Amino acid sequence: MRALYFICFVGIMMLGSSCSYKQNQILFEKKAPIADTLSQTTATISYHIQPQDILQIRNLQNLKYIVDEAPTFNSSGGSGNSAASQGQTFQVEEDGTVALPAIGHIQVSGLTRTQATKLIEDLYRKSLLKDPIIELKVINLKVTLLGEVKSPGNFPILKDNTTLVELIGQAGGLTPAANEKNIKIIRGKNKTQNVTEIDLSNLNSLSDPRTLLQNGDIIYVAQNKRAIRTDNLQNLNTWVQPALLLLNTALIIFTLSRQ
């Protein structure tokens, strides 16, 4: 009978350990300044347009088109009309130029979004439009967010100086299992890859230039220790509990057969 009591006790303890927990996250506490282990960077990061980029361009004076009439070609140079209110899309060619309605091929590779916008405005003002207001976005830029966030996935970077906190906000925030002190930004390819660890419990992380995101970044939010322990216990319970049930059943049958 003592063995039966012991088995029942162990079973109750294992069931209790699988109960859910609540992790209290602490964000943006005031702490000592962050020691930047990487080379110092500027407070802003401006993307420079490259071949194969896809530009979304519109004249805010006319929500449908860049020019006042519907264009007769699309981003690939073929025929067709585009009346999307978000603007037309144009791909930067291998030589760094982009073909735009009425003004033809212009060199944009190497320019920032702001520089390209001003160039296009000036060219349209000289040749076709009165006081154009050009909006330009590079819509193929993206980062990947993985781990303990509510909506992981790929997210576009439509503006310069998008921060890690803004991206996590777009993803719905951290989950209760997230480790806010261990958020990794993986940047670069192959041998040039580096990993930056960000501690969002530190208020100084809001002004950390390393949190400014770049095209191709992979952000991983790790689990906190309590969540890892809970997962391990739950995995253990998946085979321990059936084994305990079989053992209890065998002990009961054995006990009844002795009576």
Side-chain angles (χ1 to χ4, degrees):
M1 291 300 292
R2 288 182 179 179
L4 180 59
Y5 291 147
F6 175 75
I7 295 297
C8 292
F9 174 77
V10 172
I12 293 172
M13 291 298 292
M14 293 300 296
L15 288 172
S17 66
S18 65
C19 294
S20 62
Y21 72 97
K22 182 177 181 180
Q23 173 72 18
N24 293 321
Q25 291 172 343
I26 301 175
L27 299 177
F28 311 133
E29 283 192 320
K30 192 169 183 179
K31 298 181 180 180
I34 297 172
D36 192 351
T37 56
L38 300 179
S39 59
Q40 292 296 321
T41 59
T42 59
T44 60
I45 296 177
S46 296
Y47 179 77
H48 293 263
I49 297 171
Q50 302 176 16
Q52 301 302 316
D53 279 345
I54 300 175
L55 309 182
Q56 185 182 84
I57 307 173
R58 66 171 175 166
N59 177 19
L60 296 181
Q61 301 280 39
N62 184 326
L63 294 182
K64 286 188 177 181
Y65 309 113
I66 293 181
V67 294
D68 292 332
E69 297 180 356
T72 57
F73 55 85
N74 57 29
S75 60
S76 61
S79 61
N81 293 335
S82 173
S85 62
Q86 294 298 315
Q88 301 163 249
T89 58
F90 303 87
Q91 188 167 33
V92 181
E93 299 177 9
E94 287 294 340
D95 62 0
T97 65
V98 62
L100 298 179
I103 60 176
H105 288 263
I106 64 170
Q107 186 73 33
V108 294
S109 181
L111 300 180
T112 66
R113 283 179 261 211
T114 301
Q115 291 169 338
T117 299
K118 186 178 185 305
L119 174 62
I120 294 170
E121 278 185 354
D122 290 343
L123 290 173
Y124 274 122
R125 184 181 292 109
K126 290 178 181 178
S127 61
L128 187 64
L129 302 177
K130 179 181 179 181
D131 299 327
I133 302 175
I134 296 296
E135 178 188 72
L136 183 150
K137 297 177 181 178
V138 186
I139 61 174
N140 58 291
L141 308 183
K142 66 178 182 178
V143 296
T144 302
L145 181 59
L146 304 172
E148 295 299 330
V149 290
K150 293 182 179 178
S151 299
N154 294 322
F155 293 82
I157 302 180
L158 298 179
K159 68 181 185 67
D160 290 332
N161 304 316
T162 298
T163 67
L164 174 63
V165 171
E166 289 177 306
L167 178 67
I168 292 175
Q170 291 179 40
L174 303 175
T175 70
N179 183 356
E180 70 279 9
K181 297 183 179 181
N182 184 13
I183 298 178
K184 293 181 174 65
I185 301 177
I186 305 167
R187 181 169 297 162
K189 296 181 179 180
N190 302 326
K191 294 182 180 180
T192 61
Q193 269 189 352
N194 61 63
V195 179
T196 303
E197 293 189 3
I198 303 297
D199 179 2
L200 286 186
S201 69
N202 191 338
L203 180 62
N204 294 298
S205 64
L206 293 176
S207 58
D208 187 344
R210 299 175 302 168
T211 65
L212 296 177
L213 301 178
Q214 299 179 23
N215 181 43
D217 281 354
I218 299 173
I219 297 96
Y220 177 70
V221 182
Q223 279 188 325
N224 55 51
K225 292 181 180 179
R226 189 176 300 178
I228 293 172
R229 286 197 299 267
T230 299
D231 284 348
N232 290 338
L233 286 173
Q234 288 176 345
N235 291 333
L236 183 63
N237 285 341
T238 58
W239 66 268
V240 168
Q241 289 180 6
L244 288 173
L245 179 61
L246 290 174
L247 187 55
N248 280 333
T249 302
L251 286 172
I252 292 172
I253 294 173
F254 176 76
T255 302
L256 293 175
S257 65
R258 296 285 299 272
Q259 292 179 354

